[in-house]
């Protein structure tokens, strides 16, 4: 019995180790050094960016100035995103976090989009926003909320979400994202603004509309 118990424990340990090893490869690994400032001039191609020589790193590699500047919202959507990710701060490389400021003109919209690599947590600094996200198939449940100054809302990773300024004054938010490079896919741009265009037979069947309607929408992009 004792031998059997030892074998069971050893087997359990082996299975646990195997599970942990699989878990480690399923997400970003932990840092193996204090930082890995992005070397944007490196020809090396990795999942992320190659590290700059630590001896060449300065405080400027962890710094950005500009989030106090109001974004230009004179566009069709009436919104402007100021991103602070690894492209702006090389020190964010391998850190798994980034930031955006979003400005909204009265009735401005940050249209339905997804971040394929990131959860987002947003806080309203000024104004009032109607926000929401939609769950995956088959439910496609719509969660929505009206946010006021100081309110916080979370958009789960990969889900379609939006923000709409339903007020008559300018609105501003700060949002943190759980990736150094969260990516963004704006639904309308991806479907109707793709180059080359998605075949008409696909879009007309998917949206159950006539080709003329699809052509008109595509012309907007």
């Amino acid at each position: 019995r004792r031998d059997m118990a030892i074998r069971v424990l050893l087997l359990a340990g082996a299975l646990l180790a195997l599970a942990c090893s699989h878990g480690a490869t399923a997400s970003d690994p932990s840092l193996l050094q204090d930082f890995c400032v992005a070397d944007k001039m490196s020809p090396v191609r990795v999942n992320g960016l190659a590290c700059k020589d630590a001896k060449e790193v300065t405080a400027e590699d962890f710094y950005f100035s500009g989030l106090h500047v109001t974004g230009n919202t004179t566009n069709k959507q009436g919104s402007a995103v100021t991103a602070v990710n690894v492209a702006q701060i090389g020190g964010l490389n391998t850190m798994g976090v980034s930031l955006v400021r979003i400005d909204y003109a009265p009735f401005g919209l940050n249209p339905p989009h997804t971040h394929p690599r990131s959860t987002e947590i947003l806080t309203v600094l000024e104004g009032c926003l109607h926000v929401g996200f939609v769950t995956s198939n088959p439910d496609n449940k719509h969660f929505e909320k009206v946010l006021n100054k100081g309110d916080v809302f979370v958009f789960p990773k990969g889900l379609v979400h939006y923000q709409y300024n339903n007020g008559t004054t300018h609105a501003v938010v700060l949002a943190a994202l759980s990736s150094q490079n969260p990516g963004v896919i704006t639904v309308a741009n991806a479907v109707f603004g793709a180059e080359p265009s998605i075949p008409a037979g696909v879009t007309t069947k998917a949206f159950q509309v006539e080709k003329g309607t699809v052509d008109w929408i595509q012309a907007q992009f």
Side-chain angles (χ1 to χ4, degrees), residues 9-196:
L9 287 172
L10 289 173
L11 178 60
L15 290 173
L16 179 60
L18 182 62
C20 289
S21 67
H22 281 292
T25 59
S27 61
D28 292 342
S30 299
L31 284 170
L32 299 178
Q33 61 277 322
D34 290 340
F35 50 77
C36 173
V37 173
D39 182 354
K40 299 175 184 178
M41 303 302 294
S42 174
V44 177
R45 294 292 177 262
V46 295
N47 185 24
L49 294 167
C51 302
K52 180 188 289 189
D53 187 333
K55 296 176 183 176
E56 299 177 4
V57 172
T58 70
E60 297 301 310
D61 290 309
F62 302 93
Y63 172 78
F64 172 85
S65 179
L67 284 187
H68 62 292
V69 178
T70 301
N72 183 3
T73 59
T74 55
N75 52 62
K76 288 184 178 180
Q77 299 297 344
S79 66
V81 177
T82 303
V84 185
N85 55 44
V86 72
Q88 289 75 38
I89 301 181
L92 285 175
N93 192 37
T94 73
M95 296 295 178
V97 66
S98 58
L99 188 71
V100 296
R101 167 182 171 144
I102 311 176
D103 290 89
Y104 311 81
F107 307 108
L109 172 70
N110 189 11
H113 63 281
T114 74
H115 300 294
R117 297 179 288 276
S118 175
T119 296
E120 177 180 350
I121 182 167
L122 172 150
T123 184
V124 179
L125 301 182
E126 297 290 343
C128 177
L129 291 177
H130 181 175
V131 306
F133 67 85
V134 180
T135 62
S136 55
N137 298 350
D139 294 338
N140 300 131
K141 185 174 180 180
H142 181 203
F143 290 85
E144 58 183 328
K145 184 75 174 176
V146 173
L147 304 181
N148 295 294
K149 183 176 180 179
D151 290 345
V152 176
F153 199 78
V154 173
F155 302 107
K157 179 178 179 180
L159 296 187
V160 174
H161 60 283
Y162 63 88
Q163 303 104 33
Y164 174 62
N165 181 3
N166 57 359
T168 57
T169 60
H170 192 80
V172 185
V173 306
L174 279 181
L177 300 111
S178 61
S179 172
Q180 68 182 44
N181 181 24
V184 60
I185 301 171
T186 304
V187 176
N189 297 57
V191 175
F192 297 107
E195 292 290 345

Side-chain angles (χ1 to χ4, degrees), residues 2-14:
R2 181 182 178 184
D3 290 344
M4 181 62 70
I6 291 173
R7 289 178 184 177
V8 170
L9 287 172
L10 289 173
L11 178 60

